[in-house]
Amino acid sequence: MQPHSDRPVVSIAYHSGYGHTGVLAEAVRSGAADAGAVVHLVRVDEITEEQWTTLDSSDAIVFGSPTYMATASGAFHTFAEATSKRFVPATWRDKLAAGFTNSGAKSGDKLHTLQFFTMLAAQLGMHWVNLGLHPGWNSSQASENDLNRLGFYLGAAAQTNVDQGAEAVHKADIATAQHLGRRVAETAAVFRAGQAASA
């Protein structure tokens, strides 16, 4: 494994209302760590000044929230508004960004939550990392156990029945979130090497 100083730093800034999105956050963490990154989990509804500093020093920040009423949760929106302190000084400019979300319905307007994340990242001058997977479960030979079974492109999307707990998060959705974590970490390593080479 690379020395700590040479490894990309990936932070996962997320809110989880009932635990489902927390399962995905852990999956993103696992994937990024497997790809060699130093990873930090930051619950945005409990964020501390020290954790803001961690985000400021990260190479990549992955946003995560459940989709409630066609957008990210209120707790995540509060965090997003607080990032305005990073807007004028461009603190997060040229960092990488990515996102994931969960809802009870197969669609559930999760796309709008992922688009909200991308616009937040764009306003902060960040570079968006998409999921990089073809859609799964879209033919007679396909299966609900495919990666990207819900067919999203911007980020990792999951569906969990509203009457079941976090233990019911679909294994394919967990694997898709792990893929996103790996992709972000690998992209961050490329960016980090490029920045070092051009310094």
Side-chain angles (χ1 to χ4, degrees), residues 36-106:
V38 177
V39 191
H40 302 281
L41 287 172
V42 177
R43 287 191 60 115
V44 300
D45 53 334
E46 302 172 352
I47 193 167
T48 64
E49 282 304 315
E50 182 180 0
Q51 289 174 319
W52 278 110
T53 301
T54 296
L55 295 179
D56 292 343
S57 61
S58 297
D59 296 297
I61 302 173
V62 185
F63 301 132
S65 170
T67 294
Y68 294 155
M69 303 306 291
T71 189
S73 66
F76 192 92
H77 275 270
T78 297
F79 162 77
E81 186 172 334
T83 67
S84 62
K85 292 182 179 178
R86 273 77 188 158
F87 177 78
V88 173
T91 309
W92 292 2
R93 180 179 291 165
D94 292 332
K95 294 184 185 300
L96 301 181
F100 60 95
T101 187
N102 176 82
S103 71
K106 293 293 190 293

Side-chain angles (χ1 to χ4, degrees), residues 4 7 11 21 81 104 121 123 157 188:
H4 187 288
R7 294 160 62 194
S11 287
T21 311
E81 186 172 334
Q123 289 199 351

Side-chain angles (χ1 to χ4, degrees), residues 24 27-28 62 97-101 110-111 114 118 127-136 146-158 172-187:
L24 298 176
V28 174
V62 185
F100 60 95
T101 187
K110 288 187 278 282
L111 177 60
L114 293 172
T118 64
H127 301 291
W128 189 259
V129 179
N130 59 45
L131 186 58
L133 286 174
H134 290 303
D146 293 342
L147 283 178
N148 196 19
R149 71 188 180 107
L150 300 179
F152 283 76
Y153 295 90
L154 278 185
D173 295 341
I174 292 172
T176 301
Q178 289 172 331
H179 167 86
L180 179 66
R182 285 192 298 273
R183 181 168 166 83
V184 169
E186 289 166 358
T187 306

